[in-house]
Amino acid sequence: QVQLVESGGGSVQVGDSLRLSCTASGRTLSTYTTGWFRQTPGKEREFVAAISWYGGNGHYADSVKGRFTISRDNGKNTVYLQMNSLNTEDTAVYYCAAGNIYSNLRSESAYEYWGQGTQVTVSS
């Protein structure tokens, strides 16, 4: 199996930037599509961004498009989520996920492996 560990979360203010990292162990991520989801208590987990195993252009939720950028470094077995212009609606636990996915990159059910999450809190 793949173990995923997120890091980089924290408490910031509106307008700040933050970069989340997700590092895999157990197996390489080089052949996996990876994504980021987020969840606030009382709400369903929602898609944030995804990137294919080879990189290329990311896929983004409309709510973060233009503000967030997903990238990956296969040599470091790490996926990143650069978050700019954060607002209070971005407050959530952010999860990285990986899977051998050929479609439905925005679907939670498509991903096999999940990290424990990292808290992002944005205050005004």
Side-chain angles (χ1 to χ4, degrees), residues 1 10 13-14 42 47 51 60 74 82 89 97 103 105 111-112:
Q1 64 174 325
Q13 294 183 314
V14 169
F47 170 79
I51 190 168
Y60 301 94
N74 286 340
Q82 178 66 46
E89 287 73 33
S103 62
L105 301 181
Y111 294 84
E112 303 172 78

Side-chain angles (χ1 to χ4, degrees), residues 31-49:
T31 61
Y32 287 89
T33 296
T34 56
W36 288 92
F37 290 76
R38 65 187 183 186
Q39 186 171 31
T40 300
K43 298 177 62 178
E44 294 185 352
R45 187 151 49 190
E46 65 176 349
F47 170 79
V48 177

Side-chain angles (χ1 to χ4, degrees), residues 2-7 20-27 29 36 73 76-80 96 115:
V2 176
Q3 294 82 45
L4 304 174
V5 179
E6 303 95 337
S7 63
L20 305 182
S21 299
C22 174
T23 300
S25 62
R27 296 179 65 182
L29 288 177
W36 288 92
D73 186 336
K76 296 182 178 181
N77 222 21
T78 299
V79 182
Y80 304 96
C96 66

Side-chain angles (χ1 to χ4, degrees), residues 4 10 12-13 17 30 50 56-57 66 69 72 74 81 85 107 109 118:
L4 304 174
V12 297
Q13 294 183 314
S17 297
S30 62
N57 298 127
T69 302
R72 64 188 299 164
N74 286 340
L81 184 68
S85 301
S107 175
S109 63
T118 184

Side-chain angles (χ1 to χ4, degrees), residues 58-110:
H59 304 260
Y60 301 94
D62 289 342
S63 60
V64 306
K65 189 175 298 182
R67 299 189 297 119
F68 290 10
T69 302
I70 187 171
S71 62
R72 64 188 299 164
D73 186 336
N74 286 340
K76 296 182 178 181
N77 222 21
T78 299
V79 182
Y80 304 96
L81 184 68
Q82 178 66 46
M83 305 184 293
N84 297 328
S85 301
L86 287 164
N87 56 57
T88 56
E89 287 73 33
D90 297 316
T91 295
V93 177
Y94 283 72
Y95 300 88
C96 66
N100 191 11
I101 302 169
Y102 302 96
S103 62
N104 296 319
L105 301 181
R106 299 169 182 266
S107 175
E108 178 182 351
S109 63

